[in-house]
Amino acid sequence: DIQMTQSPSSLSASVGDRVTITCRASQSISTYLNWYQQTPGKAPKLLIYAASSLQSGVPSRFSGSGSGTDFTLTISRLQPEDFATYYCQQSYSSPFTFGPGTKVDIK
Amino acid sequence: QVQLVQSGAEVKKPGASVKVSCKASGDTFTSYGISWVRQAPGQGLEWMGWITVYNGDTNYAQKLQGRVTMTTDTSTSTAYMELRSLRSDDTAVYFCARDVIAPLRWDPWGQGTLVTVSS
């Protein structure tokens, strides 16, 4: 199975900050990488697919980059509704494993 | 647009089975697949497997092989996930999600179903 790691596991930030989350795969997955946002008690929401494609309806302050084993999710200017947990997921091969998540909370 | 609505919370005893449903609306049900993902309390996300609706092909995570069965009823646009021989560590919120291919991603998701396994 492909192992996914994320860093940091949590971070504190202020509204308006630029936030970057890193995801690493245990082997090359090309650009088969998705990012999801989850708020407490809710289902995950797709933000980015294929490493850098913005899902329809997702604000443009979210962006993704990377290929191979190293990926990043960037929130250019953090908004109050962005305080959540973010998960990466590889869609390269089954089982389609997730990273452990990065919790973004209010500083 | 596709919407997925799941069945309500369940409480089961160890060794029992649970069957969670996921009713789809808003698109042709047979044109996509459905995956199931679970999340133990306070934990991350675990992909359990998927089913291709039009032909019923399934792909289960190895750790659940033999205990999980995913099915669909195209007449009601509903997907089902049955988990047998429940253990306490199966306590989790279970989500269904639509498989979107080329490239593969999961959107949208159902609201989740809490399954509690307790004696």
Side-chain angles (χ1 to χ4, degrees), chain A residues 34 36 38 42-44 46 49-50 55 87 89-91 94-96 98 100, chain B residues 37 39 43-47 50 59 61 95 103-107 109-111:
Chain A
N34 304 320
Y36 299 87
Q38 187 180 34
K42 299 293 187 181
L46 178 66
Y49 62 94
Q55 172 68 1
Y87 294 93
Q89 180 201 24
Q90 61 86 13
S91 57
S94 173
F96 302 106
F98 292 86
Chain B
V37 175
Q39 186 171 38
Q43 303 300 308
L45 300 165
E46 178 186 13
W47 182 83
W50 72 15
N59 177 11
F95 296 100
L104 184 58
R105 69 265 198 197
W106 287 267
D107 178 75
W109 294 54
Q111 83 277 18

Side-chain angles (χ1 to χ4, degrees), chain A residues 8-71:
Chain A
S9 57
S10 65
L11 66 90
S12 295
S14 301
V15 172
D17 283 355
R18 181 182 182 88
V19 168
T20 298
I21 298 168
T22 297
C23 174
R24 176 165 288 173
S26 61
Q27 66 181 74
S28 178
I29 58 170
S30 183
T31 57
Y32 294 95
L33 191 284
N34 304 320
W35 288 98
Y36 299 87
Q37 175 195 64
Q38 187 180 34
T39 54
K42 299 293 187 181
K45 172 188 172 183
L46 178 66
L47 298 176
I48 302 284
Y49 62 94
S52 61
S53 295
L54 190 68
Q55 172 68 1
S56 175
V58 173
S60 58
R61 62 181 179 272
F62 291 93
S63 64
S65 64
S67 66
T69 60
D70 295 320
F71 303 87

Side-chain angles (χ1 to χ4, degrees), chain B residues 49-104:
Chain B
W50 72 15
I51 182 165
T52 302
V53 176
Y54 84 92
N55 64 6
D57 281 354
T58 55
N59 177 11
Y60 302 138
Q62 189 169 12
K63 69 175 286 187
L64 296 172
Q65 287 273 5
R67 289 208 299 137
V68 67
T69 302
M70 296 176 188
T71 57
T72 61
D73 181 344
T74 55
S75 69
T76 60
S77 299
T78 303
Y80 298 92
M81 186 283 300
E82 182 180 31
L83 190 60
R84 299 176 294 279
S85 303
L86 289 168
R87 312 186 288 245
S88 58
D89 62 356
D90 292 317
T91 294
V93 176
Y94 289 76
F95 296 100
C96 61
R98 181 184 65 156
D99 302 334
V100 182
I101 61 172
L104 184 58

